[in-house]
Amino acid sequence: MTFNAIRALTGCLLDVEADADLHTWGQPPLLLLAQDRPAPSSASGTRRQMRVAHLPLDAHRLGRYRAGLVDFLPDLADALRADRPVGRPTLAACVDICLIVDLLADPTPGVRLLAWGIRYEDVRVASDDIHEVRRIDAVDVDLRSYQITRQRHEPRPVVRVDDHVGHDDAPAIRAGLTRLVQATSRPAPKRTT
């Protein structure tokens, strides 16, 4: 991804966090699918338009997964692989799979997957104190990770964009997001000359 695309994606993720900050805490997790397409005003197709689809998750049904999001994301990735039929009742109870399939199969020329992400609330233990935090974790098609964290009552979130995929302090959710990206990335169509 280009520097401008990375910056635009980070901005979109910050917008998701800012929107969540306008509401009360205790919101259910939100799955995020980032795609882009050629901008309608661009005749040459060089300018792109980004969108982030917000896919609500049923927090109660998500409880069927023993490890919550950590188990849910790889299960969703397995269900969305191109070589497998989608028909998982546990998944269907958690998220609108048909909507995801429709978004991924968008026939608009030039639509491409940019990233998968998830907004969720968590707790962080620091100095023998427990803090509520809101996180947005995302992984783009180059397997770059994004993490936006806002501790409750903090004025601004902390943003981290990391090109290094395999380090020890990576959240467990990142592996599931990486599998989602890998399962749903489609090769770019070959151009004919």
Side-chain angles (χ1 to χ4, degrees):
M1 286 180 40
T2 66
F3 175 76
N4 286 338
I6 294 166
R7 194 171 73 182
L9 178 58
T10 303
C12 286
L13 296 173
L14 282 166
D15 289 345
V16 170
E17 200 289 322
D19 183 57
D21 198 48
L22 297 174
H23 304 288
T24 61
W25 283 69
Q27 295 178 39
L30 184 66
L31 189 63
L32 307 166
L33 170 60
Q35 296 174 304
D36 76 353
R37 67 187 71 230
S41 61
S42 175
S44 65
T46 56
R47 294 186 47 87
R48 311 267 317 159
Q49 186 177 41
M50 187 178 298
R51 77 169 177 201
V52 177
H54 297 206
L55 305 159
L57 299 178
D58 184 317
H60 177 70
R61 301 286 184 156
L62 202 56
R64 293 180 179 180
Y65 287 92
R66 192 170 59 86
L69 291 171
V70 172
D71 285 344
F72 166 77
L73 292 170
D75 194 28
L76 180 60
D78 287 344
L80 292 175
R81 283 187 13 215
D83 62 339
R84 298 187 78 180
V86 177
R88 310 282 292 271
T90 303
L91 281 172
C94 294
V95 67
D96 187 345
I97 293 178
C98 292
L99 176 58
I100 294 172
V101 170
D102 287 347
L103 289 167
L104 292 172
D106 186 337
T108 306
V111 170
R112 63 183 181 189
L113 173 73
L114 291 181
W116 279 97
I118 187 104
R119 185 201 73 204
Y120 61 102
E121 293 176 9
D122 201 1
V123 292
R124 179 173 60 191
V125 179
S127 305
D128 297 328
D129 200 9
I130 297 174
H131 303 277
E132 288 179 279
V133 294
R134 180 182 305 113
R135 297 185 193 279
I136 296 176
D137 286 308
V139 173
D140 71 23
V141 293
D142 293 333
L143 302 184
R144 184 177 296 103
S145 67
Y146 302 74
Q147 187 175 62
I148 298 171
T149 307
R150 184 190 298 248
Q151 188 170 303
R152 193 171 194 158
H153 307 299
E154 281 186 335
R156 287 184 250 346
V158 174
V159 178
R160 180 178 177 181
V161 179
D162 193 353
D163 288 329
H164 305 289
V165 187
H167 51 76
D168 293 339
D169 65 339
I173 285 178
R174 189 169 306 147
L177 291 170
T178 299
R179 283 185 59 187
L180 260 175
V181 167
Q182 292 168 335
T184 58
S185 292
R186 308 290 188 251
K190 293 181 181 180
R191 290 186 171 177
T192 58
T193 55

